[in-house]
Each structure stands twice: as C-alpha cells, then as structure tokens.
Amino acid sequence: SQTIHQWPATLVQPVGSPLSLECTVEGTSNPNLYWYRQAAGRGLQLLFYSVGIGQISSEVPQNLSASRPQDRQFILSSKKLLLSDSGFYLCAWSVLNTIYFGEGSWLTVV
Amino acid sequence: QKEVEQNSGPLSVPEGAIASLNCTYSDRVSQSFFWYRQYSGKSPELIMSIYSNGDKEDGRFTAQLNKASQYVSLLIRDSQPSDSATYLCAVTNIGGATNKLIFGTGTLLAVQP
C-alpha cells in the first residue's frame, strides 16, 4: 500500500530564516505530488504541484519554492520566511483523481 | 462568490442522530466531489468520493449529489462523539484534474454524548 511521510511535524522559525519541508511517498511510482497550506480559519490553498521529476507548477505567487529531485520526493523551501508564512503545510499525492494527504507540518514564524 | 461554500458551523447533534453536512459549488462543469474529515490539528482524510447524481453509501456515511442544483451533501447516521471534526468538501472544476481541486473552508461537527 502507498504511504506518504512528511517532516518535520512542527517547527518554530524566526522571520528571515530559511525553510525546508520534505515529503516522500512509498509504494507507488511517478505520483502527482502537491503542497498545500492551511492558514488558521481558512481553507486549503494549493501552493505547488508536480507531475514528474523537475516539473513544478506554482499556483500562487509567494515567498516559497518547491523542488522534486527524485520521483517520490517533494521539497518545499523558502530563503527568508515571513510572518505570513505561518500555517499548516500539507504534502499530498494523488492516484487517478483522488488526493491523499500526509501528516502535515505546523510552521510558526516568530 | 466563493467557488465551494460550506456553513462553518458548529453543527451540534446528539449522539445517535443523523448529521447532515451541505456544500454548494459555483462551477457547473464540476465533475468530481469529495468529502474529507479533519480532526483538530491533523491532516484531512478522505471519507467518500462521488461522481454521479444520486446517493452513494459507505457504512454510516451517505454522500448525495445534485448537479442541477449544484450541491453535494454528506449524511452521517448514528453519529458518534468520534465523528466530531471538521468536514471539508472538495470539488474539481475542470475535467477532474486534481490540480484544480477546490476545497471549502469546512463545517465543524460536534456530536454531543
């Protein structure tokens, strides 16, 4: 069966510091991968999605970037965090047209 | 107008009752519809998907879709305190593409023991 792992689970970062969140999927090959953000009291916002290695589409302009160095690895990064980057970040993968989420990463920028 | 709308709640029901959660969407060409459950502080988990008009049942859960009226609902029979969570409705608006999946902001369900 397929599983998705995401880390770290929680982190507190100062404004202006870099960010790296990592996600890996097991049990499948060539998955579509996604990064979502859920801010407090708001809905899920799609940040990036990828259909293959090195193929990244950005849905909204922002202070973040994504990379897919391997088929089942997806990384979310920032060079300098802003306070507004705080939120719950979710990696996800899809099979057919259904999306499944990882455990999520809570980011607090202080 | 929001693309996917849900009443934020909280919807409070007594244990054993039927909980009815509703969702409306704006894009008539929407094709795939999903319900996710999200416990506080956790990630969303898929409960059901529905693609055709009518009802789809899975255990205590029934999803209902009415494309003419542009709404989708989730019924939870014999509600349990463990069903207390936020329920997210999600809709694809173009050809079922997952990158076009739009989420509502969710309805908070509270099942009272």
Side-chain angles (χ1 to χ4, degrees):
Chain A
S1 63
Q2 300 86 357
T3 58
I4 181 169
H5 301 286
Q6 181 180 343
W7 68 93
T10 60
L11 64 166
V12 179
Q13 296 284 99
V15 169
S17 65
L19 171 73
S20 181
L21 300 178
E22 190 165 340
C23 168
T24 59
V25 180
E26 299 177 359
T28 186
S29 59
N30 196 31
N32 286 354
L33 297 174
Y34 310 82
W35 279 110
Y36 282 85
R37 177 171 62 198
Q38 188 175 39
R42 301 181 65 179
L44 282 163
Q45 179 187 36
L46 178 62
L47 303 176
F48 302 94
Y49 76 95
S50 171
V51 298
I53 295 174
Q55 301 179 63
I56 309 294
S57 295
S58 174
E59 291 297 303
V60 292
Q62 58 209 328
N63 186 40
L64 303 167
S65 62
S67 61
R68 185 169 177 174
Q70 300 181 41
D71 180 46
R72 290 172 289 175
Q73 183 184 27
F74 205 21
I75 298 171
L76 182 69
S77 304
S78 174
K79 293 182 178 179
K80 291 185 178 182
L81 285 169
L82 306 173
L83 286 174
S84 58
D85 291 324
S86 293
F88 189 37
Y89 288 81
L90 292 155
C91 181
W93 71 283
S94 65
V95 58
L96 298 178
N97 69 336
T98 303
I99 286 182
Y100 300 91
F101 292 93
E103 305 96 333
S105 298
W106 284 99
L107 169 65
T108 302
V109 182
V110 296
Chain B
Q1 181 185 7
K2 292 183 180 178
E3 295 178 83
V4 178
E5 293 203 51
Q6 296 180 258
N7 188 317
S8 60
L11 173 65
S12 184
V13 300
E15 185 175 354
I18 296 175
S20 178
L21 304 160
N22 299 312
C23 171
T24 58
Y25 58 94
S26 60
D27 193 333
R28 287 191 169 273
V29 300
S30 297
Q31 297 187 9
S32 303
F33 308 84
F34 305 87
W35 283 100
Y36 289 81
R37 178 176 61 198
Q38 186 174 22
Y39 291 113
S40 180
K42 302 296 184 182
S43 64
E45 55 180 322
L46 181 69
I47 297 176
M48 293 192 69
S49 57
I50 186 167
Y51 309 103
S52 304
N53 279 326
D55 295 359
K56 179 181 178 182
E57 186 175 318
D58 184 1
R60 295 187 297 113
F61 299 97
T62 299
Q64 299 176 318
L65 176 60
N66 184 323
K67 291 188 177 181
S69 299
Q70 295 178 239
Y71 82 80
V72 56
S73 61
L74 179 70
L75 301 178
I76 306 175
R77 291 181 299 281
D78 189 24
S79 295
Q80 300 297 309
S82 59
D83 295 325
S84 298
T86 297
Y87 289 80
L88 304 175
C89 172
V91 176
T92 55
N93 62 350
I94 300 177
T98 49
N99 60 301
K100 299 299 182 183
L101 193 63
I102 307 297
F103 286 85
T105 53
T107 297
L108 177 61
L109 173 66
V111 181
Q112 307 300 323

